[in-house]
Amino acid sequence: AQSVTQLGSHVSVSEGALVLLRCNYSSSVPPYLFWYVQYPNQGLQLLLKYTTGATLVKGINGFEAEFKKSETSFHLTKPSAHMSDAAEYFCAVSEKNSGYSTLTFGKGTMLLVSP
Amino acid sequence: NAGVTQTPKFQVLKTGQSMTLQCAQDMNHNSMYWYRQDPGMGLRLIYYSASEGTTDKGEVPNGYNVSRLNKREFSLRLESAAPSQTSVYFCASREDRGKVGSPLHFGNGTRLTVT
């Protein structure tokens, strides 16, 4: 069975600082990995995804994530935080070779950005 | 392009009342999903429909029923609402037939309070 662990329910950074949101997954087969962002009172929007190929994936709004199989991790980073990045971020995993696979989400990390 | 549309946006029910949450997508997606989001719990899958005419239970199906009315519409019904069903409900869809790693597309949610 697949599962996702996000370390830290809240992460606080200053504007301009590095953003690092951690995600570790468990999967019995090579996974597909996703990061979603949720702004207040909205649904989830896709930030980026890893399927195959290059392990460093670039997404929208300057975010990127690196798939590390040996560490079963898919951490999300951004070099310089903006106030507009304040939101909740969810990591999700979906298993390959499953005809109608579902996504399993982590519990989310709230990113707080201070001036 | 509306994407995934959920109605209503807000609803207050009394214990024991019933209601149906509506969801429609205009992206011609095969799969549709219902999740609930609770603080500190992330998103948990209630039911999903891999294709028109099929439905399957997710992680937390008790107290809910679903109907895949056609390819566009997937409704969620609470027959006898309980306070534990107070939550934010998200509908999502995905085009996953033949597309590796296709992401979920979310609606903006229905905020349900059961008193």
Side-chain angles (χ1 to χ4, degrees):
Chain A
Q2 57 202 31
S3 65
V4 177
T5 301
Q6 291 184 241
L7 296 177
S9 59
H10 291 80
V11 170
S12 295
V13 300
S14 299
E15 194 172 19
L18 172 71
V19 175
L20 171 59
L21 304 182
R22 299 178 187 273
C23 172
N24 288 88
Y25 69 91
S26 169
S27 176
S28 58
V29 296
Y32 300 156
L33 295 160
F34 304 82
W35 275 100
Y36 284 84
V37 61
Q38 184 181 32
Y39 299 103
N41 300 315
Q42 294 187 24
L44 279 71
Q45 302 173 31
L46 181 68
L47 267 181
L48 50 78
K49 66 177 183 180
Y50 168 79
T51 54
T52 59
T55 56
L56 182 62
V57 180
K58 295 186 185 300
I60 62 172
N61 301 336
F63 284 93
E64 60 183 35
E66 186 171 11
F67 169 58
K68 292 187 176 181
K69 184 178 178 180
S70 61
E71 298 177 7
T72 60
S73 69
F74 191 55
H75 301 329
L76 182 70
T77 61
K78 182 173 180 178
S80 176
H82 293 162
M83 296 295 290
S84 60
D85 293 328
E88 190 159 21
Y89 292 80
F90 293 91
C91 182
V93 62
S94 176
E95 291 186 340
K96 293 183 182 180
N97 300 318
S98 178
Y100 296 106
S101 61
T102 60
L103 264 65
T104 299
F105 286 85
K107 293 185 178 181
T109 298
M110 184 68 73
L111 177 65
L112 307 170
V113 183
S114 57
Chain B
N1 187 356
V4 179
T5 303
Q6 291 183 237
T7 56
K9 288 183 169 42
F10 302 93
Q11 183 71 50
V12 179
L13 292 178
K14 293 184 178 179
T15 298
Q17 288 185 316
S18 63
M19 79 161 294
T20 300
L21 281 65
Q22 307 287 352
C23 174
Q25 52 91 10
D26 62 1
M27 295 172 283
N28 201 36
H29 286 171
N30 289 304
S31 300
M32 297 186 73
Y33 305 78
W34 277 105
Y35 285 89
R36 61 177 288 174
Q37 183 180 27
D38 302 289
M41 302 292 290
L43 279 81
R44 292 181 291 170
L45 183 64
I46 305 172
Y47 270 93
Y48 69 100
S49 170
S51 61
E52 186 178 354
T54 68
T55 61
D56 287 283
K57 294 179 180 180
E59 181 184 356
V60 288
N62 291 346
Y64 305 96
N65 286 300
V66 290
S67 295
R68 184 73 182 267
L69 305 170
N70 47 55
K71 191 171 185 179
R72 290 187 65 249
E73 298 173 289
F74 188 40
S75 62
L76 178 71
R77 182 160 178 85
L78 287 70
E79 290 291 351
S80 178
S84 61
Q85 294 179 304
T86 293
S87 187
V88 181
Y89 292 85
F90 287 99
C91 178
S93 68
R94 182 167 75 160
E95 176 51 77
D96 51 14
R97 189 168 292 174
K99 293 196 175 183
V100 171
S102 57
L104 288 173
H105 297 259
F106 285 86
N108 284 331
T110 295
R111 284 155 182 78
L112 176 67
T113 300
V114 182
T115 62

